[in-house]
Amino acid sequence: MSEPLRIGILGAARISERALITPARAGGHRLVAVAARDRDRARSFADTHGVERVADSYADLVSDPEVEVVYNPLANGLHGPWNLAALRAGKHVLSEKPSASNAEEAAEVREAAAQAGTVFMEAFHYLFHPVNQRLHALLASGELGELRHVETVVAMPAPPDGDVRWSLPLAGGALMDVGCYGLHAQRMLAPWAGGAPRLVSARGGEHSGAPGVDAWLEADLAFPNGATGSARCSMVDDTWQATCRVVGTRGEAVAPDFVLPHQDDRVVVRTEAGERTEELGRRSSYAYEFDAFAAHVRHGEPLPLDAEDALATMRLIDECYEKAGFAPRPRS
């Protein structure tokens, strides 16, 4: 076994358990420190999850010489500032998406990562699961023919009023919280579409009581090879939805839950030969993601996500907001 990563955790967010703690402990890595605005909450978090100690502040955690990897699951508007702080302290960073509040800030994150010479990765965990790799393989093999259209839908029931996801100062909104998955998934189809998609049009609706914050947004995309894309997101839906449908000249494939594929690991393939359902496994996409991150940090294994990719996604997010009549999210 290679030397374990030494990890510091910003905040005591619930997502940390499934996204980082469980896969890190399974891989034998060290949870060195946690910091939160409320020290008692940080202590409770550390006791519950086996974190070695509590740092006095976020700043103390990112400057701790024993911490080599910083995990950032804070509110969206705090991703950019603390990603920058961690990179400038010479740490590797695994950041929950999105990497920053807007493209300007994401560009600064990219520059900080380049100057630090450390690893920066935006936590698009879905990409590492066999479900999404299978969608790509079906295009690469030619079974679906040439890509003609892709549809992504990511929707969820509304968070309560007052939730940080409805906060404009904290970079909230449906596109930032869930829609970024759909846009990223479409961007990842560039190898089979002649290049990255460009935005054609977008429309959205404002959340009641949260001026400037999108409750839903739809975007139309166009790829260089003539294929089209449709990306829809919502934070006011009745149920959770996360579908990806890839249509080619010879058939189509659908992932019923491409964002959390360990909850529904099916890929349904339809061609002239008939319809079949493939089941790709229920291992967590977060586990695949963390294994890949650790292998890159320790052994230089290939990693498909970096600060440049994060910037490209954020530029597309900003363009969608502007086309839909919203302003890009402000910096915190």
Side-chain angles (χ1 to χ4, degrees), residues 25-36:
R25 292 177 69 178
H29 301 285
R30 287 178 58 194
L31 303 174
V32 172
V34 61

Side-chain angles (χ1 to χ4, degrees), residues 74-113:
L74 300 172
N76 290 344
L78 299 179
H79 288 172
W82 288 106
N83 288 340
L84 287 168
L87 290 167
R88 289 167 179 164
K91 310 301 185 184
H92 304 296
V93 176
L94 177 62
S95 173
E96 284 303 326
K97 49 73 194 166
S99 66
S101 295
N102 53 51
E104 178 185 33
E105 191 173 48
E108 293 180 21
V109 170
R110 178 192 61 181
E111 294 306 312

Side-chain angles (χ1 to χ4, degrees), residues 132 135 150-153 185 189 242-246 253-258:
N132 288 280
L135 292 178
V150 56
E151 298 173 2
T152 53
V153 178
L189 298 180
T243 58
C244 180
R245 176 174 175 251
V246 176
V254 177
D257 193 342
F258 80 97

Side-chain angles (χ1 to χ4, degrees), residues 52-274:
E52 295 173 18
R53 51 189 165 80
V54 172
D56 288 334
S57 67
Y58 296 159
D60 287 339
L61 185 139
V62 301
S63 64
D64 187 326
E66 195 171 7
V67 170
E68 63 174 331
V69 173
V70 171
Y71 172 61
N72 184 354
L74 300 172
N76 290 344
L78 299 179
H79 288 172
W82 288 106
N83 288 340
L84 287 168
L87 290 167
R88 289 167 179 164
K91 310 301 185 184
H92 304 296
V93 176
L94 177 62
S95 173
E96 284 303 326
K97 49 73 194 166
S99 66
S101 295
N102 53 51
E104 178 185 33
E105 191 173 48
E108 293 180 21
V109 170
R110 178 192 61 181
E111 294 306 312
Q115 291 176 14
T118 54
V119 177
F120 177 86
M121 191 176 92
E122 195 173 24
F124 278 116
H125 57 94
Y126 82 94
L127 186 65
F128 297 87
H129 196 277
V131 162
N132 288 280
Q133 294 180 1
R134 184 60 178 148
L135 292 178
H136 294 175
L138 288 165
L139 287 168
S141 71
E143 182 175 1
L144 301 182
E146 184 180 357
L147 180 66
R148 303 313 304 151
H149 184 65
V150 56
E151 298 173 2
T152 53
V153 178
V154 189
M156 61 175 282
D161 290 339
D163 190 284
V164 295
R165 286 169 286 186
W166 294 127
S167 168
L168 183 62
L170 288 175
L175 186 59
M176 294 289 278
D177 195 67
V178 293
C180 58
Y181 282 104
L183 290 182
H184 191 266
Q186 302 230 4
R187 286 190 53 251
M188 292 298 99
L189 298 180
W192 303 282
R198 64 176 177 84
L199 181 64
V200 176
S201 63
R203 57 217 155 266
E206 191 173 77
H207 182 61
S208 175
V213 178
D214 50 309
W216 62 272
L217 192 142
E218 299 174 350
D220 301 312
L221 305 166
F223 292 87
N225 74 339
T228 58
S230 169
R232 183 174 75 84
C233 66
S234 172
M235 282 205 307
V236 288
D237 214 64
D238 293 333
T239 58
W240 168 258
Q241 296 182 68
T243 58
C244 180
R245 176 174 175 251
V246 176
V247 182
T249 53
R250 296 177 183 170
E252 67 174 54
V254 177
D257 193 342
F258 80 97
V259 173
L260 298 173
H262 46 274
Q263 295 186 171
D264 188 338
D265 66 340
R266 293 174 297 154
V267 171
V268 181
V269 183
R270 301 182 183 96
T271 67
E272 289 184 356

Side-chain angles (χ1 to χ4, degrees), residues 9-66:
I9 304 169
L10 293 173
R14 287 178 296 176
I15 192 176
S16 298
E17 180 174 3
R18 64 180 184 272
L20 177 97
I21 291 169
T22 298
R25 292 177 69 178
H29 301 285
R30 287 178 58 194
L31 303 174
V32 172
V34 61
R37 288 175 297 172
D38 183 329
R39 188 178 176 84
D40 289 341
R41 188 171 178 224
R43 171 50 59 196
S44 175
F45 184 94
D47 291 344
T48 299
H49 299 296
V51 182
E52 295 173 18
R53 51 189 165 80
V54 172
D56 288 334
S57 67
Y58 296 159
D60 287 339
L61 185 139
V62 301
S63 64
D64 187 326
E66 195 171 7

